[in-house]
């Protein structure tokens, strides 16, 4: 009987423990967004695209790749398909500042976005314009060792959508004229 009950609940337990985290990871109590892309671009072409995109500030090239910053990035909840009223306030009313590291290897590049801070866009009853809050406050629980289930619903998906849109660089297709 115990075995039967265990077998019934096993899929539920496995599904919950391997929940989708939308490219977010917890490393030493800090939240990191990380994704690997395959590319046909050379390191130089990719560097040029990153610099010309306008999404990255203080871009520096070093031996392992590129380091840069993201400043005042608006989280694209509308592009994701959400309205302001159905989006958590900390997503809809804030922009993002963060540190970015892009590493190159073979025909791939890995983007790591760290030290993610939410910047309040305007004054309201709960906070003032320019106020900074670490994303970990809204995303993590249990001394920053686990994701909050509320974060893994819509917020992580909106942030993931926004970060993917600014970090995926493709080869420009030639006109088929």
């Amino acid at each position: 009987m115990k075995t039967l009950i265990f077998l019934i609940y096993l899929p539920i337990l496995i599904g919950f423990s391997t929940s989708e985290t939308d490219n977010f990871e917890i490393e030493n109590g800090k939240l990191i967004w990380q994704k690997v892309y395959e590319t046909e671009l050379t390191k130089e072409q990719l560097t040029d695209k990153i610099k010309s995109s306008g999404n990255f500030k203080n871009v520096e090239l070093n031996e392992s790749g590129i380091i840069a910053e993201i400043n005042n990035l608006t989280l694209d909840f509308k592009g994701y398909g959400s309205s302001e009223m159905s989006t958590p306030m900390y997503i809809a009313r804030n922009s993002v500042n963060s540190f970015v590291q892009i590493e190159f290897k073979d025909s791939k590049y890995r983007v790591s976005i760290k030290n993610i801070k939410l910047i309040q866009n305007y004054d309201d009853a709960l906070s003032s314009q320019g106020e900074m809050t670490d994303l970990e406050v809204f995303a993590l629980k249990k001394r920053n060792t686990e994701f909050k289930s509320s974060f893994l619903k819509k917020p992580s998906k909106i942030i993931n959508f926004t970060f993917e849109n600014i970090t995926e660089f493709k080869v420009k297709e030639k006109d088929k004229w």
Side-chain angles (χ1 to χ4, degrees):
M1 185 65 172
K2 289 181 184 179
T3 306
L4 180 62
I5 293 172
F6 178 74
L7 290 175
I8 291 172
Y9 286 107
L10 183 64
I12 296 168
L13 295 171
I14 290 172
F16 182 74
S17 66
T18 59
S19 67
E20 179 65 37
T21 60
D22 297 308
N23 299 308
F24 283 99
E25 299 174 16
I26 303 169
E27 188 175 290
N28 297 324
K30 295 292 184 184
L31 193 63
I32 297 172
W33 183 88
Q34 196 167 65
K35 183 162 183 178
V36 176
Y37 295 98
E38 291 189 18
T39 186
E40 295 175 11
L41 297 170
T42 65
K43 185 177 179 179
E44 291 74 25
Q45 289 172 320
L46 191 56
T47 302
D48 290 342
K49 285 193 174 282
I50 290 166
K51 287 181 177 180
S52 66
S53 73
N55 293 314
F56 304 95
K57 308 292 182 221
N58 302 322
V59 178
E60 294 179 24
L61 188 60
N62 60 30
E63 63 279 346
S64 64
I66 293 176
I67 56 171
E69 295 174 0
I70 294 173
N71 290 323
N72 295 319
L73 175 67
T74 301
L75 295 169
D76 191 8
F77 60 89
K78 289 180 183 176
Y80 175 73
S82 185
S83 69
E84 185 171 356
M85 294 305 290
S86 67
T87 301
M89 286 176 31
Y90 71 92
I91 297 294
R93 297 180 178 188
N94 287 281
S95 55
V96 170
N97 286 3
S98 65
F99 172 80
V100 181
Q101 182 176 8
I102 302 171
E103 301 165 288
F104 307 101
K105 185 177 181 181
D106 302 325
S107 59
K108 298 179 184 178
Y109 65 98
R110 179 172 67 181
V111 179
S112 301
I113 300 179
K114 305 174 182 181
N115 197 20
I116 304 167
K117 305 244 186 244
L118 298 173
I119 313 301
Q120 180 70 21
N121 289 335
Y122 47 85
D123 290 331
D124 62 23
L126 302 173
S127 54
S128 58
Q129 183 176 3
E131 188 175 308
M132 273 195 203
T133 308
D134 291 333
L135 184 56
E136 286 88 354
V137 170
F138 300 104
L140 303 179
K141 64 180 180 177
K142 295 195 178 181
R143 296 186 177 181
N144 291 357
T145 60
E146 292 180 24
F147 288 101
K148 290 181 179 177
S149 60
S150 61
F151 176 73
L152 293 177
K153 292 178 182 171
K154 193 178 276 189
S156 69
K157 293 177 183 358
I158 292 170
I159 297 169
N160 184 60
F161 175 81
T162 304
F163 286 170
E164 283 181 341
N165 283 340
I166 68 163
T167 59
E168 185 171 18
F169 301 98
K170 297 180 180 177
V171 176
K172 187 176 180 182
E173 292 185 28
K174 295 186 181 182
D175 291 334
K176 295 184 181 182
W177 175 242

